[in-house]
Amino acid sequence: DAGVTQSPTHLIKTRGQQVTLRCSPKSGHDTVSWYQQALGQGPQFIFQYYEEEERQRGNFPDRFSGHQFPNYSSELNVNALLLGDSALYLCASSPENTEAFFGQGTRLTVV
Amino acid sequence: AQKITQTQPGMFVQEKEAVTLDCTYDTSDPSYGLFWYKQPSSGEMIFLIYQGSYDQQNATEGRYSLNFQKARKSANLVISASQLGDSAMYFCAMRESNDYKLSFGAGTTVTVRA
C-alpha cells in the first residue's frame, strides 16, 4: 500500500516564477492538507481540501492556491515566487479528520 | 498566540536510555487531540502517537508513551530504550475540535549517542 507521494522531491525556481507541486494521498484517504515548513521551524498549515473544495485555509496570501481532483490527488500552486517561499512543502492525507499521514515533502528553493 | 510550546531545542541521549520530550499546549476547547511526529533528515513526518483530550489513560505505542497531564496542559513524549535510529526532529501538534488543521510546535532535535 503506497503512502502519500509527492512530486517533485526537489525544485529550484527563480523569483517571480510560478510553481506547481503535486500530491497523491494514501489509498482510501479523501482529505488532503498542505503545510509549509521553513528551515528549523515547525510546519505551518496552508490549506485543506475535501471533496474537491478548500475546506480551511491558513494565514497564507492568495498567491498560494490549490486544487483537489476527483481521485483525491491534489496540487499546490504558488505564483509570483518570493525568496521567502523557499521551504519544505509537506502534503498530508487522512480518512476524514483523523491522524494525518505525511509525504516526504518537496523542497523548494527560490533564487 | 502560540498553541504548542516545545522548550527543548535539542537533546542528547545515550543509546538504550529513556528520553522525555516536553510539550505544553494552550486551548480553551474542551475537545482536542494531541499528536507527536518524528521527522528524520529525509523530511517525511512520521506519525508516532495520539492522545485525545477525553482519553482516560495515557497513550502508548511500542517504545513511545505519552505522559498526558490535562490540568497542566502538558503532553510529554517518552521514548524508552533509545536506538540510534531515533535520532531525528520530534514535533508535538494539536488539533482542536472546531479545526481541521494541525498546529505544530517548533520541534526538538534528539541525537542518540552510541
Side-chain angles (χ1 to χ4, degrees):
Chain A
D1 176 28
V4 180
T5 57
Q6 293 186 241
S7 63
T9 54
H10 294 83
L11 201 53
I12 300 175
K13 288 287 190 178
T14 304
R15 272 181 301 174
Q17 284 189 318
Q18 179 264 346
V19 68
T20 298
L21 310 182
R22 295 176 175 83
C23 172
S24 292
K26 190 174 167 65
S27 178
H29 289 189
D30 57 6
T31 301
V32 174
S33 302
W34 287 91
Y35 291 81
Q36 180 196 66
Q37 186 179 18
L39 197 62
Q41 297 182 22
Q44 298 293 316
F45 176 76
I46 303 175
F47 41 54
Q48 184 182 90
Y49 277 84
Y50 173 69
E51 292 188 344
E52 302 178 52
E53 295 286 332
E54 183 184 287
R55 178 155 73 173
Q56 184 176 357
R57 187 179 184 90
N59 189 24
F60 279 80
D62 291 344
R63 298 187 297 109
F64 290 77
S65 63
H67 189 77
Q68 185 179 33
F69 298 94
N71 67 352
Y72 306 129
S73 68
S74 178
E75 290 182 348
L76 164 65
N77 300 292
V78 186
N79 294 323
L81 284 166
L82 304 173
L83 296 179
D85 295 331
S86 295
L88 179 68
Y89 288 84
L90 294 162
C91 172
S93 74
S94 59
E96 251 302 327
N97 211 23
T98 60
E99 70 263 23
F101 291 82
F102 285 79
Q104 83 283 6
T106 294
R107 198 166 295 277
L108 172 66
T109 303
V110 182
V111 297
Chain B
Q2 191 75 10
K3 291 194 174 185
I4 297 288
T5 302
Q6 294 180 256
T7 57
Q8 306 151 310
M11 297 187 71
F12 291 93
V13 60
Q14 206 65 29
E15 196 178 10
K16 299 180 185 177
E17 292 187 349
V19 62
T20 298
L21 308 183
D22 296 340
C23 173
T24 57
Y25 59 92
D26 182 29
T27 182
S28 57
D29 189 343
S31 178
Y32 52 89
L34 296 159
F35 303 78
W36 277 93
Y37 284 87
K38 171 185 177 181
Q39 187 177 42
S41 56
S42 60
E44 182 179 357
M45 299 282 277
I46 302 167
F47 167 73
L48 297 177
I49 197 167
Y50 167 81
Q51 179 84 44
S53 59
Y54 292 118
D55 292 345
Q56 295 297 313
Q57 295 189 333
N58 287 342
T60 61
E61 287 287 347
R63 294 186 298 110
Y64 303 107
S65 60
L66 202 153
N67 183 4
F68 181 46
Q69 298 186 44
K70 194 170 182 177
R72 298 177 65 178
K73 294 188 175 179
S74 166
N76 298 340
L77 176 71
V78 180
I79 306 173
S80 61
S82 294
Q83 302 171 356
L84 295 177
D86 294 335
S87 294
M89 193 81 159
Y90 289 81
F91 290 94
C92 179
M94 177 176 68
R95 183 169 59 222
E96 295 165 306
S97 64
N98 60 348
D99 213 348
Y100 295 109
K101 71 176 184 291
L102 288 169
S103 297
F104 285 84
T108 295
T109 301
V110 172
T111 304
V112 181
R113 290 169 164 163

